[in-house]
Amino acid sequence: MKRFLLPLLAVSAALADGPKDNLADNVRPIPPPGVAVPDADKARLTEGLGRLRAAIDEAVKAQAKHPMLADLLPDLEVYHKAVDWALRYNEVHKVTELKNADELIAEGLQRAEQFKNGQTPWTKQKGLVVRGYRSKIDGSVQPYGMIIPESYVGAPVRLDIWCHGRGETLSELGFLDQRRKQQGQIAPKGALVLHPYGRYCCANKFAGEIDLLEAIDHANKFYAIDEDRVIVRGFSMGGAAAWQFAVNYAEKWCAANPGAGFSETPEFLGGFQNEDVSKAPWYQKKLWHWYNATDNALNLENCPTVAYSGEIDKQKQAADMMERALRGENVDLLHIIGPQTAHKIHPDSLIEIEKRLASIAAVGRDRRPNEVHLSTWFLRYNKMHWVTVDALEQHWERGRIHARITGSSEVTVKLQNINAFTLDMPSGHSPLSLLIKPTVIIDGQALEVTRPKLDRSWLVHFQLKNSKWTQVLGDENDGKLVKKHGLQGPIDDAFMDKFVFVKPTKAGWSEKLDAWSKAELERAQFEWRRQFRGDAPVKDDTAISDADIAASNLVLWGDPQSNAVLARIADKLPVQWAKDKLVVNGKTYDAATNAPVLIYPNPLNPAKYVVINSGFTYREYDYLNNARQVAKLPDWAVVDLSKPKTSQAPGGISDAGFFGEAWEWKAAPVAK
């Protein structure tokens, strides 16, 4: 590893979670309650919110036929949401924020008036600009900030993304105020900078992960972003986010610049939080692979990375762990270290970082590298440049593919735990000869395959059949009940796309289950708003339409007696569920005191999920440290309702596990 000790920029982040945050029975609320708002201030702001809402509605009416109404309206609504939610949910954390709220209302009114008159000057504004988009996940309006350099004239330019640090009081009100007044940690010359809110304080995981992708998509509609010069960066919690984005989306970035934070869960919690997680259930240890950047360090071979740490920062551990993981891949990490620096960015280090990133950006992203390396544990992350993994032998075991162009008509592929894959070079990108059928050598087996097309595109699919690799015409599992990209679980995967909570309208078989399910639904709504900053869509079971089934993952609460949609599909689910008994993975339970929790392809629309009786699976204890904010339940579980719910679980977990590759039951792994 190359280390650079360079002769301090303060970072706004809540650092540590002390020993009290290891007490699962005494969990402080996240976000914390706000301060008391004087009645006069509350009345003034409430009146201002009313005027802003009316002004937005008038603008929408006046511009009903505007071709970009759907993309511009959130730029107004983020102002209303920021002030409204702060007042409504007791999230004014400092009295000084009341002045900021007045300013946001005034700026929102100004934008509404401008848009009413068909003007959108903020889309051409230089400097700090507040923007917003509407999320596909829950229909919520989510903010982000842009910094537009004075030199920007509309030609494609570099984009840097800066993921913010932990801020338990960083409400929309606080975030918008920052994005109106503070440049932040970085200002690379001539570059656009995007500051994602990241759905609050989740280290840009789950819906916070999709937030960045949606923000980039929205920004692309208004700014000329050079897609070959996008750099993902962050510090502290934002450094953890940068590590995760770098390994899970390596092909998207020109470079990555993570600073401090954490790069995996178990060892960080052990060292930073003094928390022993060695006794975590086996399935939780499997689920750590989702966001353990160390487990997919191989992917950084496709993403130039400049890491930073303060020499005496406890969070230097993140880059040290990545150094160790990369060394196992025969790769040396570039790690710039601020001398005698704690949890800050040393100014001289920043100069060196910017110099190196500018050099990388001058070259730009390699759209068609000769070598592609991909590590994955599940099919959510299945693509790297011209290589796509279509099927794993077994989810949550390491899958790896190494593909190299080894001749003018030859590609060599080495695999681990992969059953099907695709090589896809888009138009103009194939360097292979047009005149000769290429040879693809897969783990020593040579296959002569389809030639590239005249437009220099090349597309070939492969599948393992009877222990031999074969070229196939396409996805031979199409229409079959198998795990595939976007339909592979676990439960938390359903909340990274459009979903709706489906509420039962009848009494169920068990009063205990009814009460538990009702409380868990209410909690899921409450926590979705607090942790992911949106109102979870909720519909009665009798109101679910064909359009809902076609477009959304359905989260069904209750049992087949209480929930009409669950009744429609009960006989097509892998569980056997009747009034007197529940059968899950060959075991029988008392249906009155046990509830199934699971994710499964929706029998009414197998392109979407159904989830039974669960929201996102980490709970109140996990909010206290971002490294804990990982999936806690796998594809299915049985909840013992006779045991109390806690800050870590919805009740007693009698059994839990993953479905197999055809969504079949499978036994738990044998303990080693």
Side-chain angles (χ1 to χ4, degrees):
M1 180 189 75
K2 295 183 179 179
R3 294 173 180 262
F4 291 82
L5 286 167
L6 294 167
L8 285 174
L9 300 170
V11 173
S12 171
L15 282 183
D17 317 305
K20 289 183 179 179
D21 283 351
N22 286 353
L23 303 176
D25 294 331
N26 185 22
V27 172
R28 59 189 175 85
I30 305 291
V35 300
V37 177
D39 290 343
D41 292 307
K42 183 177 292 185
R44 182 185 71 257
L45 292 172
T46 300
E47 187 274 335
L49 283 169
R51 287 189 290 115
L52 178 54
R53 182 71 262 170
I56 293 172
D57 292 342
E58 288 179 12
V60 171
K61 185 176 180 181
Q63 297 297 325
K65 295 183 179 180
H66 195 294
M68 296 194 73
L69 173 61
D71 292 312
L72 290 165
L73 181 57
D75 287 336
L76 282 59
E77 291 184 322
V78 288
Y79 290 93
H80 187 276
K81 178 182 179 180
V83 180
D84 178 42
W85 278 35
L87 287 180
R88 184 184 304 188
Y89 298 116
N90 190 25
E91 292 178 352
V92 176
H93 296 290
K94 298 177 183 176
V95 173
T96 53
E97 287 187 327
L98 298 175
K99 179 178 180 292
N100 303 339
D102 284 317
E103 294 172 357
L104 292 181
I105 289 174
E107 192 164 302
L109 285 167
Q110 181 184 47
R111 281 196 182 181
E113 181 65 21
Q114 291 166 339
F115 188 49
K116 179 181 176 181
N117 295 323
Q119 301 168 348
T120 58
W122 67 89
T123 64
K124 305 296 182 183
Q125 180 180 327
K126 301 294 178 66
L128 279 68
V129 188
V130 169
R131 301 303 305 262
Y133 73 90
R134 192 174 307 281
S135 175
K136 65 178 181 179
I137 293 177
D138 55 7
S140 65
V141 170
Q142 296 295 329
Y144 67 97
M146 292 293 299
I147 301 179
I148 313 300
E150 290 296 328
S151 61
Y152 178 69
V153 294
V157 295
R158 165 180 159 183
L159 171 71
D160 283 33
I161 295 153
W162 184 260
C163 300
H164 66 75
R166 182 174 176 91
E168 294 175 2
T169 60
L170 190 62
S171 66
E172 291 84 354
L173 177 60
F175 179 75
L176 262 62
D177 189 61
Q178 286 184 5
R179 301 295 12 107
R180 294 171 64 245
K181 300 174 181 176
Q182 300 177 25
Q183 176 179 276
Q185 298 296 302
I186 61 168
K189 185 178 179 180
L192 302 168
V193 181
L194 188 156
H195 289 262
Y197 184 43
R199 297 261 186 165
Y200 174 53
C201 192
C202 59
N204 302 79
K205 300 176 189 175
F206 306 111
E209 174 182 321
I210 304 304
D211 172 80
L212 174 57
L213 306 182
E214 291 189 298
I216 293 173
D217 286 346
H218 186 266
N220 257 314
K221 298 175 183 179
F222 296 93
Y223 307 104
I225 296 170
D226 185 340
E227 64 180 16
D228 292 324
R229 288 169 175 82
V230 180
I231 301 175
V232 63
R233 311 175 66 174
F235 186 81
S236 193
M237 183 184 82
W243 282 121
Q244 293 154 193
F245 281 121
V247 298
N248 290 335
Y249 296 92
E251 67 167 2
K252 286 184 173 293
W253 320 121
C254 165
N257 170 220
F262 55 92
S263 56
E264 44 69 51
T265 287
E267 294 201 36
F268 177 81
L269 288 178
F272 187 83
Q273 194 64 31
N274 295 320
E275 181 177 5
D276 181 8
V277 294
S278 63
K279 293 181 174 59
W282 67 270
Y283 51 83
Q284 288 187 3
K285 292 178 179 179
K286 292 279 189 185
L287 289 166
W288 289 340
H289 296 308
W290 187 335
Y291 284 115
N292 275 4
T294 49
D295 293 337
N296 291 316
L298 171 70
N299 296 343
L300 293 183
E301 294 190 36
N302 303 106
C303 181
T305 300
V306 179
Y308 169 80
S309 302
E311 186 177 16
I312 57 174
D313 185 0
K314 204 171 183 181
Q315 290 185 18
K316 179 175 172 288
Q317 181 262 3
D320 290 343
M321 291 293 296
M322 290 302 296
E323 176 194 4
R324 188 172 78 184
L326 284 163
R327 193 182 299 128
E329 305 291 352
N330 295 317
V331 175
D332 294 325
L333 176 68
L334 177 72
H335 189 183
I336 294 175
I337 300 174
Q340 291 302 302
T341 302
H343 198 62
K344 297 180 180 180
I345 303 175
H346 194 289
D348 291 347
S349 299
L350 184 61
I351 291 171
E352 179 67 18
I353 290 166
E354 295 295 6
K355 174 184 171 183
R356 289 176 176 275
L357 292 179
S359 180
I360 295 169
V363 176
R365 178 182 59 150
D366 187 351
R367 292 196 185 192
R368 201 269 304 139
N370 285 335
E371 293 188 21
V372 174
H373 306 275
L374 173 61
S375 169
T376 188
W377 300 77
F378 73 137
L379 288 176
R380 165 159 282 279
Y381 309 115
N382 73 323
K383 186 177 184 300
M384 187 73 72
H385 291 291
W386 43 277
V387 173
T388 301
V389 176
D390 299 313
L392 294 172
E393 291 180 14
Q394 186 173 351
H395 269 67
W396 303 106
E397 297 294 333
R398 186 189 300 276
R400 293 164 72 98
I401 182 167
H402 308 272
R404 297 179 175 87
I405 298 171
T406 48
S408 61
S409 296
E410 183 181 275
V411 174
T412 299
V413 179
K414 294 183 179 180
L415 301 164
Q416 176 183 342
N417 189 36
I418 291 172
N419 270 349
F421 68 96
T422 295
L423 305 180
D424 183 6
M425 298 180 185
S427 296
H429 285 69
S430 172
L432 303 177
S433 171
L434 298 175
L435 304 178
I436 303 171
K437 285 190 172 184
T439 297
V440 178
I441 304 169
I442 309 173
D443 287 341
Q445 178 190 342
L447 287 88
E448 190 176 80
V449 301
T450 303
R451 288 192 299 265
K453 300 295 185 184
L454 187 58
D455 66 343
R456 271 58 176 183
S457 66
W458 187 51
L459 175 64
V460 283
H461 306 277
F462 299 93
Q463 192 166 16
L464 189 63
K465 296 183 176 182
N466 300 318
S467 301
K468 293 288 185 181
W469 285 100
T470 304
Q471 182 183 358
V472 294
L473 294 178
D475 183 3
E476 296 202 342
N477 288 323
D478 190 33
K480 297 180 181 178
L481 188 63
V482 295
K483 287 191 170 182
K484 61 185 72 174
H485 172 65
L487 206 70
Q488 76 290 308
I491 290 168
D492 288 273
D493 195 62
F495 302 99
M496 297 175 75
D497 205 345
K498 187 174 183 179
F499 73 89
V500 59
F501 287 157
V502 183
K503 183 179 179 181
T505 53
K506 293 181 179 179
W509 288 317
S510 161
E511 290 184 3
K512 194 173 191 68
L513 190 146
D514 280 356
W516 173 84
S517 176
K518 180 176 183 293
E520 282 296 291
L521 168 57
E522 290 172 352
R523 179 194 169 278
Q525 292 175 259
F526 178 70
E527 295 298 349
W528 184 265
R529 190 209 65 77
R530 288 208 308 169
Q531 303 307 315
F532 291 118
R533 314 307 290 180
D535 290 317
V538 182
K539 282 191 170 186
D540 286 348
D541 54 357
T542 54
I544 292 298
S545 66
D546 289 343
D548 294 321
I549 294 168
S552 302
N553 297 323
L554 302 185
V555 185
L556 310 179
W557 301 87
D559 64 23
Q561 177 69 17
S562 64
N563 192 305
V565 180
L566 189 45
R568 289 174 64 185
I569 64 172
D571 62 345
K572 298 179 179 65
L573 295 176
V575 298
Q576 299 173 42
W577 199 354
K579 182 177 181 178
D580 58 340
K581 70 176 181 178
L582 172 68
V583 181
V584 178
N585 199 14
K587 299 178 183 177
T588 301
Y589 303 87
D590 181 357
T593 57
N594 290 274
V597 167
L598 61 92
I599 189 169
Y600 198 73
N602 186 351
L604 302 175
N605 174 16
K608 295 291 181 180
Y609 290 121
V610 288
V611 173
I612 310 299
N613 287 322
S614 184
F616 67 93
T617 64
Y618 66 86
R619 293 172 81 93
E620 290 82 354
Y621 177 71
D622 307 308
Y623 307 161
L624 302 176
N625 189 297
N626 298 114
R628 291 178 186 152
Q629 292 172 315
V630 292
K632 299 297 182 179
L633 291 176
D635 293 347
W636 62 269
V638 177
V639 181
D640 183 349
L641 307 184
S642 67
K643 296 180 180 178
K645 61 182 66 177
T646 69
S647 66
Q648 296 175 285
I653 305 300
S654 300
D655 200 2
F658 298 96
F659 290 112
E661 300 310 303
W663 289 95
E664 80 280 11
W665 294 113
K666 56 185 292 189
V670 177
K672 295 180 181 179

